[in-house]
Amino acid sequence: MLALALAAACSGAMHIPLPRMPALLLGAGGGDEALWRNVLLQVRLPRVALAVLVGAGLAISGAAMQALFRNPLAEPGLIGVSAGGALGAVAAIVLGAASLPAVGSAAFVGSLAATLAAWRLGGRGPGVAGVLLAGIAINALCGAVIGLFTWQASDVQLRSLTFWSLGSLASARWPLVAALAPWVALLSALLLRDWRAMNALLLGEREAQHLGFAMAPLRRRLVLLVALLVGPLVAVTGTIGFVGLVVPHLVRLTLGADHRALLPASLLAGAIALTLADWLARVVAIPSELPIGIVTSLVGGPFLLWLLARRGT
């Protein structure tokens, strides 16, 4: 992780020599080194830190959703978090909001509203099937409303919508990282605390109840924690797909299904995966930059097809 972070911090449209990094961090140098130091401290390192936070949050949320739904194809987007966030952001852009805080706030509100709607409409019966179906319906409804907003958008707004929907870490700044870090750490810790209940869910809900775990409060707690964790991440970065699906599944194939190891390993693997994806997005088309959602989809899409083919054999 450290080697990848250093490589990501040094690479991009402006190459920063790795041996000079300690001196740059200490403030030495002038001329080109002053520019390198500014790029390193104000652009690259905050971006790496944001990639770590977002990747870790999406991956551990995906692991929790896969445990809750007992399905390796589950991810946070199933309960409407991503679609609700996208709808909030698109509505804000089309209605005239131009600043990142305004768009991000609208996306956060949209994420929470969509998740609460999925829970209220589908969480009354036993099991999680109702929540899943309500999430699918809300995703479809949000997609339709996004289409209406897109149809009404101007050319300038369409450009903003396109970049937001494809995901980006370009908004990374130290104050944003400082605000997100304790939030991601706290909610990840709360998810880690439920590893025993997630292990019991592997046996089935009835068996988990017989082992002493109350299912209704557990379902409510996991959905709420995932919504609170993923909502701000979607609000800041836009929609970044497949990290919450692919990373925990790969970790499960490698380490097994014990959530005592699966959850922290997904946390670390998600941080590595999104840092690597952002690095690739910045270096494969220099001096341009690919939207990070394209990179994650190019990896996640084929993996999902492989997974479906493997399950069918």
Side-chain angles (χ1 to χ4, degrees):
M1 180 68 231
L2 180 60
L4 177 61
L6 291 174
C10 292
S11 305
M14 175 182 289
H15 175 69
I16 298 175
L18 180 60
R20 295 298 303 157
M21 186 175 288
L24 294 174
L25 292 176
L26 293 174
D32 285 345
E33 291 203 347
L35 181 60
W36 291 345
R37 173 180 163 80
N38 189 49
V39 170
L40 184 65
L41 292 181
Q42 302 303 322
V43 179
R44 298 277 176 78
L45 289 179
R47 187 157 178 155
V48 170
L50 184 61
V52 168
L53 292 174
V54 174
L58 291 177
I60 195 172
S61 297
M65 287 292 95
Q66 290 173 9
L68 178 63
F69 290 101
R70 289 185 290 133
N71 190 319
L73 299 180
E75 64 162 346
L78 275 180
I79 54 175
V81 180
S82 300
L87 176 57
V90 168
I93 292 171
V94 175
L95 294 177
S99 65
L100 176 64
V103 175
S105 299
F108 181 49
V109 171
S111 296
L112 288 184
T115 305
L116 290 175
W119 179 258
R120 292 286 296 176
L121 295 173
R124 296 175 182 174
V128 292
V131 178
L132 178 61
L133 292 174
I136 292 173
I138 288 173
N139 280 330
L141 181 60
C142 289
V145 179
I146 289 172
L148 287 175
F149 276 116
T150 304
W151 178 60
Q152 287 287 334
S154 66
D155 289 343
V156 175
Q157 291 169 338
L158 280 176
R159 185 173 176 81
S160 298
L161 296 180
T162 301
F163 277 102
W164 197 91
S165 63
L166 292 176
S168 174
L169 300 178
S171 62
R173 298 292 182 274
W174 284 122
L176 179 63
V177 171
L180 276 179
W183 186 253
V184 172
L186 172 64
L187 293 171
S188 297
L190 293 175
L191 285 174
L192 288 167
R193 196 179 60 173
D194 277 326
W195 68 268
R196 291 184 179 85
M198 294 184 202
N199 276 354
L201 274 173
L202 296 176
L203 304 172
E205 291 203 359
R206 182 173 299 176
E207 289 76 6
Q209 279 183 317
H210 290 160
L211 290 173
F213 296 100
M215 285 297 98
L218 175 63
R219 287 195 295 268
R220 186 165 54 245
R221 185 166 64 251
L222 290 181
V223 169
L224 181 62
L225 289 175
V226 168
L228 291 175
L229 178 54
V230 175
L233 304 182
V234 173
V236 169
T237 65
T239 305
I240 298 177
F242 290 104
V243 175
L245 167 64
V246 173
V247 171
H249 194 74
L250 282 176
V251 173
R252 183 179 294 102
L253 290 176
T254 305
L255 299 180
D258 185 352
H259 288 83
R260 182 169 49 181
L262 175 61
L263 291 174
S266 296
L267 196 81
L268 178 61
I272 293 173
L274 201 60
T275 304
L276 179 60
D278 183 55
W279 179 44
L280 291 174
R282 289 190 290 109
V283 300
V284 296
I286 291 176
S288 299
E289 177 183 321
L290 289 176
I292 193 171
I294 292 179
V295 178
T296 58
S297 297
L298 284 175
V299 176
F303 176 79
L304 180 58
L305 292 174
W306 170 80
L307 181 61
L308 292 172
R310 184 171 178 266
R311 284 167 61 88
T313 58

